[in-house]
Amino acid sequence: MNLAYDNFKRFAFLPGSDYIASENALRAILQIIDDFKIKSILELGMGIGSIADTVLKHMPEIYYTGTEANEFCLDALPDNVEDYNKVNLFNSLNDIKDGRQYDLIIIDGSDASLQQITRFSHENTIFFVEGFRGEQVKLLRKIFTDSLHVEIISNKKNREYGPFPSDRWMGGAQLIFINPTFYKRFYWFKEKVRSFIIRRTRKDSK
């Protein structure tokens, strides 16, 4: 079973599919969960639930907290996320008061309180910014001055049935290690090389 593929296809046909993560991003998140033994996730901007539903199907025991303020998305989440009862949902970071710190923080939307993200991260937290949200990446790198950043891109184009133009490459993501260990530096370097090769391949295919 290709969970990223299957779940992207499912969400591509749901109302509000403009709010879903790319298939490439879903696949990358599941890989990071496995590679770094992620036990807890905070998602900023859950949209209609494509990431949460995919993650909870992949690892039902993970501790999942999310934020969302859009009324349409809030109405859709209970129907779209099969294990919705496992999601701790808040309107914004300001509403989360339990003091928990997370292994993986996924930024999939805007949150005016992003400046206080340090309250929710520990020294080994990994940040995953879905898409190419330059302002959020810039802010995170300003907060975590010793961090390493790499883009995760794809050599595949969007599916014909999806909400994104099929003549364009699948959406990417930004991976940020705030306190890079030897393994994280190796992982960062590997992704740098991979992205370089994919960009060359894309260029040659034009």
Side-chain angles (χ1 to χ4, degrees):
M1 177 181 178
N2 186 335
L3 181 56
Y5 170 85
D6 291 340
N7 238 32
F8 176 81
K9 188 172 184 179
R10 173 184 169 237
F11 274 83
F13 291 99
L14 293 177
S17 60
D18 288 347
Y19 293 96
I20 68 175
S22 69
E23 180 185 335
N24 183 48
L26 295 177
R27 185 173 290 107
I29 289 169
L30 298 185
Q31 190 65 56
I32 290 165
I33 289 171
D34 291 344
D35 290 344
F36 293 94
K37 298 178 173 57
I38 300 298
K39 303 298 183 187
S40 60
I41 289 179
L42 169 61
E43 181 186 358
L44 277 61
M46 288 185 63
I48 64 169
S50 61
I51 293 177
D53 187 65
T54 305
V55 168
L56 289 168
K57 285 175 177 172
H58 179 68
M59 186 175 286
E61 69 274 17
I62 205 161
Y63 188 89
Y64 208 101
T65 297
T67 68
E68 184 54 63
N70 181 282
E71 288 297 329
F72 174 85
C73 294
L74 289 172
D75 288 341
L77 283 168
D79 294 327
N80 295 346
V81 181
E82 292 183 11
D83 283 326
Y84 177 75
N85 63 311
K86 295 182 179 179
V87 177
N88 307 288
L89 181 60
F90 300 87
N91 283 125
S92 73
L93 285 177
N94 286 327
D95 299 318
I96 307 175
K97 309 293 186 184
D98 62 4
R100 179 180 289 271
Q101 296 174 316
Y102 294 83
D103 298 337
L104 177 63
I105 297 178
I106 300 171
I107 300 176
D108 192 23
S110 59
D111 192 311
S113 50
L114 185 58
Q115 285 275 6
Q116 59 176 297
I117 198 65
T118 53
R119 288 203 295 118
F120 304 94
S121 58
H122 52 69
E123 63 177 358
N124 293 314
T125 296
I126 297 169
F127 283 84
F128 184 95
V129 183
E130 202 276 330
F132 297 100
R133 304 172 190 275
E135 288 302 313
Q136 286 95 327
V137 171
K138 184 178 179 181
L139 177 59
L140 289 172
R141 300 205 69 192
K142 183 178 179 181
I143 295 172
F144 303 104
T145 55
D146 295 327
S147 63
L148 288 178
H149 160 251
V150 63
E151 291 182 4
I152 297 176
I153 62 175
S154 175
N155 59 358
K156 296 181 180 179
K157 293 193 174 181
N158 292 313
R159 306 290 181 182
E160 292 285 344
Y161 52 76
F164 313 120
S166 59
D167 62 339
R168 297 185 182 179
W169 303 105
M170 284 186 184
Q174 319 285 314
L175 187 60
I176 299 175
F177 297 115
I178 63 173
N179 184 34
T181 59
F182 177 81
Y183 177 63
K184 288 175 181 174
R185 288 180 184 276
F186 171 76
Y187 203 94
W188 168 83
F189 179 75
K190 182 183 68 172
E191 288 299 326
K192 279 279 189 183
V193 172
R194 178 179 175 276
S195 294
F196 174 79
I197 293 171
I198 289 175
R199 282 197 175 87
R200 291 294 298 270
T201 304
R202 284 181 178 185
K203 186 177 179 181
D204 293 342
S205 67
K206 288 182 178 179

